[in-house]
Amino acid sequence: MSVHVRVKSGHYYLDIYHNGIRKWEALRLKVSSDPRENKEVQRLAEVIRSKREQQLAAVAWNLPDLIGAKKLLVVYAREIAKDQAPKNPLPKSLRYLEEFAGGILLNAINERWVDGYRAFLLSSTKIGASTASKYLSALGTVLRQAERDRLIPHNPVEGVKGIRVPEVVKVYLVEDELRRLASISIGGQLGAEVRRAFLFAAMTGFRISDIKGLVWGE
């Protein structure tokens, strides 16, 4: 394993050789025509090289990644969320996580902080307990991955009480009510189609999203 600072076309790069693979990583640093300024740029590039080498060593020897642990929680959460569908709890919860988390680092998160986030979600007037529970679980997913990546020693969400979701009371139509609905005209061809779709859903238990994608051959 080796990490070296290289200059190519006036830009600084890291030349990394790890596990038999060589790759270059851009540092977004440019060579300066001012000798003093360029000396400072070289010093910064060397600091980055040293930290990157420590990260690779941590992976190789299964050690805690003390450098990666200093990443902002919201930045790490965004990285995980970008590979998920927008409708998933984590992407949808980012606005609440960003508002509460601010500039907190991964290595600064503990059970007390998670308790605060739990209370913050429950105090929101824009989401209910069910959504708050999903958003807290989404944070657990992020920190569970951070634990796997050796950025934190354990997942603090596991030590925090979950959010209790009230049992949903579902109201069903009985057979007599469905028969009455089937015999009632609700106006025009569109009304007839709406009634048929509703009765079909009531008889099968299909959701509206299931019915929309259903074709006759199915």
Side-chain angles (χ1 to χ4, degrees), residues 1-217:
M1 181 187 72
S2 63
V3 183
H4 299 284
V5 176
R6 308 291 190 196
V7 177
K8 184 177 181 181
S9 301
H11 292 77
Y12 283 88
Y13 294 83
L14 289 183
D15 179 3
I16 301 174
Y17 183 79
H18 183 59
N19 291 336
I21 300 175
R22 186 186 184 192
K23 66 177 182 178
W24 286 54
E25 292 182 357
L27 295 182
R28 298 181 181 178
L29 299 174
K30 295 182 179 180
V31 175
S32 173
S33 57
D34 184 338
R36 292 185 178 180
E37 183 178 345
N38 199 51
K39 186 176 181 179
E40 182 62 23
V41 173
Q42 290 176 345
R43 187 195 66 79
L44 178 57
E46 181 58 31
V47 170
I48 297 173
R49 183 208 66 77
S50 177
K51 291 184 177 182
R52 190 70 177 95
E53 191 172 52
Q54 289 180 48
Q55 285 185 309
L56 293 174
V59 173
W61 295 97
N62 198 28
L63 299 173
D65 184 355
L66 301 180
I67 304 300
K70 295 180 180 179
K71 180 177 291 188
L72 291 174
L73 168 63
V74 293
V75 172
Y76 186 72
R78 288 194 207 107
E79 292 173 356
I80 297 176
K82 69 181 181 181
D83 295 325
Q84 299 185 9
K87 65 179 181 180
N88 284 7
L90 178 56
K92 293 177 69 174
S93 71
L94 285 179
R95 55 178 291 198
Y96 294 92
L97 184 62
E98 291 168 357
E99 182 180 348
F100 182 80
I104 193 169
L105 305 178
L106 283 169
N107 61 5
I109 299 172
N110 53 30
E111 283 83 357
R112 184 175 181 179
W113 186 90
V114 177
D115 260 328
Y117 182 57
R118 177 182 182 276
F120 170 76
L121 290 174
L122 287 173
S123 67
S124 175
T125 58
K126 297 180 180 179
I127 58 175
S130 177
T131 301
S133 177
K134 292 177 182 177
Y135 288 179
L136 183 63
S137 296
L139 173 64
T141 299
V142 171
L143 297 181
R144 193 175 304 114
Q145 184 60 50
E147 183 181 7
R148 293 195 191 101
D149 292 341
R150 295 183 295 280
L151 302 179
I152 56 177
H154 72 284
N155 180 1
V157 173
E158 294 178 354
V160 174
K161 182 180 179 182
I163 296 176
R164 184 179 178 182
V165 179
E167 185 177 351
V168 178
V169 179
K170 296 182 179 180
V171 179
Y172 299 91
L173 294 178
V174 297
E175 183 179 350
D176 181 59
E177 291 171 323
L178 288 172
R179 289 184 183 279
R180 286 164 55 195
L181 179 61
S183 64
I184 295 175
S185 175
I186 53 177
Q189 184 177 357
L190 177 59
E193 289 297 313
V194 170
R195 182 182 59 192
R196 288 179 61 210
F198 181 85
L199 290 171
F200 181 79
M203 295 295 186
T204 61
F206 282 9
R207 298 170 296 184
I208 185 65
S209 57
D210 297 325
I211 296 176
K212 283 184 175 180
L214 201 63
V215 297
W216 182 256

